[in-house]
Amino acid sequence: MGVMVETRDMLAAKFEVIFPHLDERQRRLLMGAEARVLGHGGIRAVARAAGVREATVSLGVDELDGGAQPLGRVRRAGGGRRRAVEVDPELRPALLALVEPDERGDPVSPLRWTTKSTRKLAAVLTGQGHRVSADTVADLLREEGFSLQANAKTIEGKQHPDRDAQFRYINEQVKVHQATTDPVISVDTKKKELVGQFANAGQQWRPQGEPAATLTHDFPGDSLGKAVPYGIYDLAADTGWVNVGTDHDTAAFAVESIRRWWNTAGRIDYPQARRLLITADAGGSNSYRTRAWKAELAALAVQTGLEITVCHFPPGTSKWNKVEHRLFSHITLNWRGRPLTSHEVIVQSIAATTTRTGLRVHAELDTNTYDTGVRISDRQHEALPVIRHDWHPDWNYTLRPEAYEQVNSAPDPFDKPSPDRAWLHHPTLTGLPAPEWDALIATLMTLHDQQRETSLHTRRGHRPRLTAPGTGRRPILTLADRLLAAILHHRLALPQVTIAALFRVRPETINRHLREIRQLLQQAGHTIRPNPHRLATLNDLNDLATAQGITTPPEIKMAC
């Protein structure tokens, strides 16, 4: 008698629930057992309920009748489709010819100059007559000992013969200072960052399909400025201190960062300190060749009373400086995948950096301006209280906390325009009659002197010695020149690039001086009012001056 429909429906419901949890052989044996229980017609009924061929159910019945032991695997040994390398013995050599290094591989390989992904490898092999999938290619590569490899920065180029000896010398200096509980810090400038909605390398967890939107290009003109993180890593305390500048990475900025670390954390953590050891790389703002770096450190030594020793890593070995892999690497990981949209985001991201080993980081913003191109004369350099070590005195030296002769190589700017710019002083161009001009210049000179003396006193730790009037190097632009540049820009709308060409300086110099004059004018309570005449080129300026009866220099007419 045939199996009833109700029984087949019951079997179908049972198989639907159990089959997803069984492998191929287990399903076959279960169907065979059910067919044996049903008796005559059971094989057909079970096959229809399970939706398989009757031969599959018969095979399950035969396996049960034969009393076979559990195999511990789905298929018998030798079962299943043969591997691609067995069917095609030439597949493996063809693959190795494509992926081996260029000097050992096929010199005419189409993948010699492209990325060797498994998909591209599979496509090339298929074109050669070896039909293979990308997954099979990946399995064969792993069998041959291949894996995804990035570039390894291990070739350091030409090494200094005293490289390892300098490493040992630095290590000994660190031990000596730490034995007396004197601070040891590692310093360097991290990569400069553009501030704005720019893409940042890395990934972070976000709702699916909602990545952070960023600009397609990272043009500096689209940024809100730049961030210059200068890091100080305390080796003993495992703490970081980062001064995020917004101007230039100069020696004055580097030492100001160390000064801020000492005033904020160093003197609290090391109240009995009499010495300070600084390890730095060989280049950048803290280069051993930079005279300004040593001059600024000498001022810091006088201000703090610390004997400051500096040990530089040899050229090309900055990655061994601990600030790189103990501080900067963790900062980069912490803000990965996050657009650095403002200075506040940068400072907060740096300050939130921690590690499981206990690293803590403090960060703050430094909005001061730092002049570039500062030169230290031979006489000023020789006056520095520097003790050079016997071993590589260019890399290792100590600055004593002693007062030294201050040579004023950058005197106060004069209150008169340079002779070749006197024609710009005309009231028609400045909008200021002679008495008002003189009064404004006198006020700005006073404010400038106060600002400069305050800055020097802070950086040197004491007031500089007075020098004879008129000594030192004359500045490129006098204070009156800078005021004229500000008037041309704000009153007559002359572009900064044009003003730079007129004054024969770089646009960056004009930009810095405009910022300084703007601050002085705000302190003086003076506002430059726009003029109806809007100038764009030197030709426009020459035409305006000629129309007002002002004689312009011949070089201006030639430039027009």
Side-chain angles (χ1 to χ4, degrees), residues 470-548:
T471 60
R473 176 174 53 89
R474 180 184 175 89
I476 298 176
L477 298 180
T478 68
L479 183 63
D481 293 337
R482 302 173 194 181
L483 178 57
L484 288 175
I487 291 175
L488 291 175
H489 181 65
H490 295 293
R491 186 170 188 267
L492 301 176
L494 199 64
Q496 295 182 22
V497 175
T498 306
I499 298 174
L502 176 64
F503 285 25
R504 297 190 294 277
V505 296
R506 299 177 60 186
E508 293 82 0
T509 302
I510 293 296
N511 181 55
R512 184 176 70 252
H513 288 325
L514 288 180
R515 186 167 60 247
E516 295 171 351
I517 287 294
R518 190 182 305 116
Q519 295 175 353
L520 294 178
L521 289 173
Q522 289 176 353
Q523 296 178 26
H526 182 85
T527 302
I528 299 177
R529 302 188 181 281
N531 188 275
H533 296 286
R534 313 300 286 177
L535 309 181
T537 64
L538 287 179
N539 191 31
D540 295 340
L541 178 61
N542 181 70
D543 292 344
L544 176 61
T546 303
Q548 299 297 329

Side-chain angles (χ1 to χ4, degrees), residues 26-72:
Q26 291 169 342
R27 289 196 297 269
R28 191 167 61 244
L29 294 177
L30 175 61
M31 291 186 293
E34 293 289 350
R36 289 176 60 180
V37 170
L38 293 176
H40 180 70
I43 292 178
R44 175 172 295 181
V46 170
R48 291 180 178 179
V52 300
R53 296 170 58 246
E54 294 182 14
T56 302
V57 181
S58 298
L59 181 59
V61 173
D62 294 341
E63 290 184 31
L64 291 174
D65 292 342
Q69 297 296 321
L71 298 177

Side-chain angles (χ1 to χ4, degrees), residues 164-382:
D164 293 340
Q166 176 66 5
F167 284 170
R168 289 191 292 269
Y169 187 80
I170 293 175
N171 188 51
E172 290 300 323
Q173 290 291 321
V174 170
K175 290 181 179 179
V176 169
H177 281 74
Q178 288 182 339
T180 57
T181 65
D182 288 314
V184 179
I185 59 175
S186 172
V187 303
D188 197 10
T189 306
K190 196 180 185 299
K191 182 179 74 71
K192 300 177 181 64
E193 303 286 350
L194 287 178
V195 181
Q197 200 71 29
F198 302 113
N200 198 4
Q203 298 175 323
Q204 63 175 343
W205 290 102
R206 291 180 59 88
Q208 186 173 1
E210 298 181 15
T214 60
L215 296 174
T216 55
H217 301 284
D218 53 353
F219 296 134
D222 297 332
S223 70
L224 302 176
K226 62 181 177 181
V228 188
Y230 192 90
I232 296 98
Y233 176 72
D234 187 333
L235 275 64
D238 191 23
T239 57
W241 204 99
V242 181
N243 188 37
V244 181
T246 59
D247 194 44
H248 297 95
D249 180 23
T250 65
F253 168 68
V255 176
E256 175 62 20
S257 301
I258 299 174
R259 179 182 291 108
R260 293 189 177 198
W261 164 79
W262 174 256
N263 293 333
T264 304
R267 65 180 182 181
I268 298 174
D269 297 338
Y270 302 93
Q272 306 299 323
R274 294 294 178 266
R275 299 182 300 173
L276 170 65
L277 175 61
I278 300 175
T279 64
D281 58 18
S285 57
N286 44 233
S287 169
Y288 69 91
R289 297 188 181 94
T290 305
R291 290 183 174 185
W293 161 253
K294 298 182 178 68
E296 295 289 345
L297 283 178
L300 179 63
V302 174
Q303 181 184 9
T304 59
L306 295 172
E307 184 180 86
I308 300 178
T309 298
V310 183
C311 293
H312 292 274
F313 284 86
T317 62
S318 60
K319 69 176 182 178
W320 301 104
N321 200 4
K322 292 189 181 298
V323 70
E324 297 285 351
H325 49 86
R326 295 279 186 89
L327 179 60
F328 288 163
S329 60
H330 299 298
I331 293 174
T332 301
L333 287 175
N334 193 53
W335 67 26
R336 67 186 185 276
R338 178 185 306 161
L340 305 178
T341 55
S342 67
H343 286 99
E344 181 181 3
V345 170
I346 294 176
V347 171
Q348 295 299 332
S349 299
I350 294 175
T353 303
T354 58
T355 64
R356 287 179 294 178
T357 57
L359 173 68
R360 295 295 182 270
V361 183
H362 173 83
E364 66 179 41
L365 190 64
D366 183 355
T367 58
N368 292 336
T369 58
Y370 296 92
D371 292 340
T372 58
V374 176
R375 299 182 181 276
I376 305 298
S377 65
D378 293 341
R379 178 184 169 193
Q380 191 172 1
H381 184 251
E382 292 170 358

